[in-house]
Amino acid sequence: MKKAEVFEFYRRLAEHDPDPQTELAYGNPFQLVVAVALSAQSTDIGVNKATRALFAEIDTPEQMLALGEEGLKQHIKTIGLFNTKAKNVIALSRMLVDEFGGAVPSTHDALERLPGVGRKTANVVLNVAFGQQTFAVDTHIFRVGNRTGLARGKTPLAVELVLDKVTPAPFRVDAHHWLILHGRYVCKARTPECWRCIVRDLCAFKPKTAAPKSARCKTIADA
């Protein structure tokens, strides 16, 4: 994708959604770290359901330690891999208390030291909680980057580095939100909905998918 096309790609996404937000529910950086750690191989909707009652009670690592691993499991047992995730959340809470005074750090290196926190999670926290220009490449962004030609790469890190290189300044803070949402709701894994995509003419994916019959009939009826 050429430089001018990249700018137009983001411009349209920004015009369509001027204030994109993460769909994970959280109240402070600590809750965000926990929510993102819990979201691995789980949906945001599922995590939000599990953390609704949890976050009403727990909003500091000290409180999480007081709740304990077994207490945490009772809140998140509907989430996949909840046993491992509960262990990691308690361990990261302990590290935050012991090494960071209970505060969530704002650097890659420090965040990635926390149990259960990898590069993607760190990028989400740095972007959402601290407004840093990071690109958290999940399966949606990996797919969108490669399928559209915006940022091709064989690994999430490769895609991240391309995005970091090609994304223009006006769009860098919100870029990963737009790409995740676009991948989640339009550029879907099995069947991308090209027929309603606002950047379809800029996208390298071929052949473009046509609107399903029901959508075509609705369009004609609306006209």
Side-chain angles (χ1 to χ4, degrees), residues 86-97:
K87 182 177 181 179
N88 284 336
V89 168
I90 295 301
L92 74 83
S93 297
R94 171 56 62 193
M95 183 175 286
L96 288 175
V97 170

Side-chain angles (χ1 to χ4, degrees), residues 8 38 40 91 104 154-155 177 191 204:
E8 178 63 13
L38 294 178
V104 174
K154 294 183 178 180
T155 65
H177 292 300
T191 306

Side-chain angles (χ1 to χ4, degrees), residues 101-118:
V104 174
S106 58
T107 66
H108 259 122
D109 289 346
L111 283 168
E112 289 189 62
R113 288 182 56 215
L114 299 175
V117 175

Side-chain angles (χ1 to χ4, degrees), residues 13-121:
L13 295 180
E15 182 178 59
H16 178 72
D17 186 2
D19 186 29
Q21 302 291 328
T22 179
E23 294 187 321
L24 286 171
Y26 72 99
N28 61 28
F30 172 68
Q31 290 184 342
L32 178 64
V33 171
V34 172
V36 180
L38 294 178
S39 71
Q41 301 181 48
S42 302
T43 66
D44 288 359
I45 292 174
V47 172
N48 289 342
K49 287 182 179 179
T51 59
R52 187 175 296 118
L54 174 67
F55 288 168
E57 301 175 20
I58 308 298
D59 63 5
T60 69
E62 292 86 353
Q63 291 173 340
M64 188 67 76
L65 291 175
L67 177 64
E69 188 173 329
E70 291 305 315
L72 176 57
K73 286 180 182 179
Q74 294 306 308
H75 282 281
I76 66 171
K77 59 186 177 182
T78 57
I79 299 175
L81 305 175
F82 73 93
N83 285 313
T84 298
K85 290 176 180 179
K87 182 177 181 179
N88 284 336
V89 168
I90 295 301
L92 74 83
S93 297
R94 171 56 62 193
M95 183 175 286
L96 288 175
V97 170
D98 290 348
E99 299 188 28
F100 298 99
V104 174
S106 58
T107 66
H108 259 122
D109 289 346
L111 283 168
E112 289 189 62
R113 288 182 56 215
L114 299 175
V117 175
R119 186 174 183 86
K120 185 190 75 173
T121 298

Side-chain angles (χ1 to χ4, degrees), residues 121 164 168 193:
T121 298
D164 191 27
E193 297 182 1

